[in-house]
Amino acid sequence: MPKSILLTGSTGFVGTNLVKSLTLKSDYIVKSAVRHAVNKDDGLLFEVGDINASTDYRLVLNNTNIVIHCAARAHVASHATVDSLAQFRAVNTEGTLNLARQAAEAGVRRFVFVSSIGVNGISTQSDPFSIKFAPAPHNDYARSKYEAELGLKQIAEETGLEVVIVRPTLVYGPNAPGNFGMLTKLVRKLPVLPFGLANNRRDFIAVQNLADLLVTCATHPDAAGHTFLASDGETVSIKEFTNAMAKGLGKRVVQLPIPVGLMRLVGKVTGKSAMIEQLFGNLEVDSSNIQQVLGWTSPFTMEQAMATLKDSDK
């Protein structure tokens, strides 16, 4: 019987790219657990409703060997009346652990969890983040992911479920949401950017590279029990990153020499300090254990990955 992989979050940014990578492996059947199934006739789509502590996965987990859990709650409305940590926990912590327990009961062998580099913190100082660093989640989203990690390790100890944790840096690529999506719009529309004096050091990961890494984590015999900090392996400044983006989009931009201190002041005055830090601060990761354990290197360079942005304009 062919091996079966269950994917959550298959309609999201990472999930859609992961489906492409998984379907290249003819020896795996790929099943998707979705909130609402648009195509009811697709036998590999399973409607499970909202993700929480009560979601029933028993049907979709039947004859499943591997779970790759990408689905998560990434945002909470600013006007929400319930505290954000509780909302993040309901999906990212309790929902994840509910799925993992049911997976273990169903005889699933491996559980790959897409966490967040935010578990390590918001920025680095002199040394890159590594698996040796003590976690320091910088917001409620990251805290909910870290609590899920802890719970998964406990389930692994109790049941023998093989858990693999991946903490990606900022994921970029065609149609990416969040800050990368915002930057893409700026580069498309503006001929000038304010990053001329930025010499910070940040790591990123192309969605194609992350998808390939997740497939490797799902299938490599030595991945079990490890936590990986995922990046392209190319450390760049925000100036270099946006220049690469512009080249990929076929645009020309001028980088204005705006002092970084001034940009931080603007961020403080406008209440956008966190966003400014994500642009101008440092965030380096030591991904060396991925190569050591899995023998994995990024199949796409940053330039190659950025070149696919132009296709999304068509």
Side-chain angles (χ1 to χ4, degrees), residues 66-87:
I66 298 166
V67 172
I68 304 179
H69 186 39
C70 296
R73 180 164 196 162
H75 304 285
V76 171
S78 58
H79 60 272
T81 56
V82 181
D83 74 274
S84 64
L85 181 56
Q87 293 188 61

Side-chain angles (χ1 to χ4, degrees), residues 188-199:
R188 283 195 181 109
K189 295 179 180 179
L190 299 179
V192 295
L193 294 173
F195 306 124
L197 296 179
N199 59 357

Side-chain angles (χ1 to χ4, degrees), residues 199-211:
N199 59 357
N200 57 328
R201 296 177 59 81
R202 296 193 74 88
D203 283 316
F204 303 87
I205 187 164
V207 69
Q208 301 95 326
N209 290 335
L210 178 57

